[in-house]
Amino acid sequence: MTVLTTTRTAQPLAIHSTLLPHQQDVFDTCMDHADNALDALTYNRAMEIAAKAIEIDLPPSGSLIKCACTDCYCPAIFDPAAPGLRRVEPSGPYNLPRLQCAPCADAHPAPHED
Ligand SMILES: [Zn+2]
Ligand SMILES: [Zn+2]
């Protein structure tokens, strides 16, 4: 009964709130590890474990990210290289950019200068 429609923006790869609790835990832990990783090996391994935990394939960018929308508790997990994303904060001392997913960027773009 699912109607598939094509949209102009990439669909999220997963929805955090629909994952099982232990999947959410592993994913969140892996995101922390990736965010704070000091080398590519650690980063890549954390991303691989995160993808496996939520039963998806890593996108070609090799990274996953959860929407960092400050306006809603958005559960979208997506490829940080997908089109239509919006940077919420300038890059900090972390590996992962803080990005809003495309629907959030459309619906309520984070204020941001530059
Ligand atoms: Zn979002
Ligand atoms: Zn949002």
Side-chain angles (χ1 to χ4, degrees):
M1 222 74 88
T2 308
V3 180
L4 292 174
T5 53
T6 48
T7 57
R8 71 199 163 79
T9 51
Q11 294 294 313
L13 299 170
I15 303 295
H16 193 272
S17 55
T18 66
L19 301 172
L20 299 171
H22 74 267
Q23 291 179 307
Q24 295 181 356
D25 285 350
V26 175
F27 181 86
D28 292 345
T29 303
C30 288
M31 288 297 110
D32 278 353
H33 282 314
D35 213 12
N36 295 297
L38 298 176
D39 59 80
L41 188 67
T42 308
Y43 179 89
N44 292 338
R45 185 152 301 163
M47 285 298 174
E48 278 169 23
I49 296 169
K52 191 165 276 187
I54 64 173
E55 296 168 10
I56 63 168
D57 290 326
L58 269 184
S61 69
S63 295
L64 297 171
I65 201 163
K66 185 165 163 293
C67 184
C69 187
T70 51
D71 214 64
C72 67
Y73 293 99
C74 180
I77 294 168
F78 50 88
D79 176 356
L85 308 177
R86 185 182 173 89
R87 190 174 280 275
V88 174
E89 295 172 6
S91 305
Y94 302 106
N95 293 321
L96 298 174
R98 296 326 191 232
L99 298 173
Q100 277 184 312
C101 69
C104 282
D106 271 356
H108 42 243
H112 121 108
E113 359 234 297
D114 128 350

